[in-house]
Amino acid sequence: MINKVFTNDPIRLYKTKVEQEAMKAAISAVEKELGKDYPIVINGEEIMNDAKIKSIYPCQKDMVVGYVSKANKEQVIKAIEIANEKFDMWKNEAQEKRSGILMKAAQIMKDRRYELNAWLSLEVGKNYVEGDAGIAEGIDFLEFYAREGLRYAENQPVTKWPGEQNIYKYIPLGVCAVIPPWNFAFAITLGMTAAAIVTGNTVVLKPASDAPVIAYKIYEIFKDAGLPDGVLNFIPGSGSEVGDTIVDHHLTRFICFTGSREIGTRIYERAAKVNKGQKWLKRVVAEMGGKDYIIVDNNAILEDAANDIVKSTFGFQGQKCSACSRAIIHSDVYDELNELIVEKTKKIKMIDIREFDSDIHYYNMGAVINEAAQKKIMDYIEIGKKEGTLILGGNKGPENGFYIEPTIIKDINPGDRIEQEEIFGPVLAIIKADSFDHAIEIANDTDYGLTGAVHSSCRTHLEKAKKELMTGNLYLNRPCTAAFVGVHPFGGFNMSGTDSKAGSGDYLALFLQGKLMSEKVY
Ligand code: NAP
């Protein structure tokens, strides 16, 4: 019996000796497991292929986290066919059982929390606190969607009609292609997969190629929690090689994607085509990039604004879809706030995430995910140096990893490239606004609409911001990152995606279709 009340799992801040020692022990234990081979999994069968994805630790390029078998095209098709076959069984399974498996998986994750954090932190270069926040979010998704699954399984309310018994209920869709990003390799992969499974759909999961080992751990946990074979099929492989096959296949019923605008729009377009043998219009949930901002008004508490800008910009090296990449500052406080932001950012160290420092751990940055990302970010820094004035950073860090210094470029103009395009790295563009209205205009003037924050002590301005900012997740007098499941439903407008609002009461509806059954009563 699942207790109806959902509560968020608290994040560990690693301030106590007990937590620090436990994490160090977990890292040491995981280090002994590095470099192993991982299979693809179809219908419960674990298959090792010769072609492998090499997953490395971004802070130490020569450290291999694991070698994960790459599925070939035939195996991808097989996985989709199996998922389609298993759908008949899984859709008829009792909701209590499906929700119960999620709760059991959540408990396994709680029991393995430090170890999972160690795998995640090593595979993507998160510091311990950021890593733990990801594990906690994953647990929250499971416990939240388990309860939501029970709610959606009930008959839904309809208006009474004389002489008829009307039943309206939700049923699952079919085979779901889950395509997650690497940056929230645990929480987002898990959230999308769990939502599909709990609602009675079957899944082919193609993990991100930069984080396939932690995705395999997710598969393993579902299996240990009792998920039947074939409900979740694990098919790693490069998106450019197998992505189209998954998206185009006539048995793929819907696609649940989180990643870049470029790939999201490609999937959206391809999914619109009705292929031979296909009986439905494919549904696409596509959550994409952002060009997020923090507006600072001339009456804001500058110390708080600076802290929130630094935290939101440089947390996890700026590699969050919600990361602040634009500080839009009222001209009256522009110079003063710039100084504060620089002073605080100077405290950030580039670290191997295993070098734990409990005083300033939250800001300490690992390396960015890979060489291509490092190059792309450095290219944007060069563009930014021409568009504005570099006031901090701008260089690569230690050569052993893909490091980039926390970088700040001021005097950027609305419309400049680093003001418009997603960089996805530790780079802050600072833009001067003539007035609060001008700041709103600048904030709204991109193709994206994911997160944003406003710092102001003027109630009229805060209310105006609520009305006028076209931002899926708008925060007032707080950072623009850190959304908690159930508390801050998450998803963006415009080119940030379909606004699916992960972690909300609406989310599971995207994995279901409504069926009405109307019977004449004699
Ligand atoms: P990405 O390059 O778009 O990749 C996302 C996923 O798509 C990966 O699994 C990737 O596989 C796969 N893929 C690549 N090409 C494909 C194709 N042709 N067909 C099907 N799938 C394909 O994004 P990323 O670098 O992993 O993640 C960063 C992006 O995600 C940023 O833009 C960020 O803002 C966004 N994001 C958005 C949210 C949100 O909620 N809105 C949350 C997190 C991240 P490979 O890894 O094998 O290439």
Side-chain angles (χ1 to χ4, degrees), residues 29-30 38 46 61 76 94 106 120 129 159 173 193 218 226 257 284 287 296 341 391 402 429 438 453 510 513:
V30 163
Y38 295 87
E46 307 214 340
K61 299 171 193 178
V76 168
L120 178 63
V129 180
T159 304
L173 292 164
T193 305
I218 291 174
F257 167 85
V284 177
E287 294 309 308
V296 185
I341 295 169
I391 52 173
F402 306 112
H438 187 213
L510 299 164
Q513 53 195 338

Side-chain angles (χ1 to χ4, degrees), residues 407-477:
T407 296
I408 303 178
I409 303 174
K410 71 170 186 176
D411 301 340
I412 291 297
N413 288 307
D416 281 348
R417 281 189 67 191
I418 73 155
E419 198 268 332
Q420 291 285 316
E421 297 171 22
E422 187 181 45
I423 301 172
F424 219 56
V427 181
L428 178 68
I430 303 187
I431 304 121
K432 192 189 278 185
D434 303 334
S435 63
F436 189 72
D437 286 353
H438 187 213
I440 289 186
E441 196 185 305
I442 296 168
N444 276 339
D445 188 26
T446 75
D447 293 346
Y448 296 103
L450 189 46
T451 80
V454 176
H455 272 263
S456 177
S457 53
C458 169
R459 178 46 49 193
T460 315
H461 282 181
L462 292 174
E463 293 307 321
K464 186 166 202 173
K466 285 192 210 168
K467 253 197 205 150
E468 295 189 8
L469 283 163
M470 270 303 287
T471 305
N473 282 56
L474 178 64
Y475 302 107
L476 306 175
N477 290 322

Side-chain angles (χ1 to χ4, degrees), residues 139-152:
I139 293 168
D140 284 353
F141 275 137
L142 290 180
E143 297 202 333
F144 186 78
Y145 294 149
R147 292 174 169 90
E148 283 293 296
L150 290 167
R151 185 169 72 82
Y152 275 92

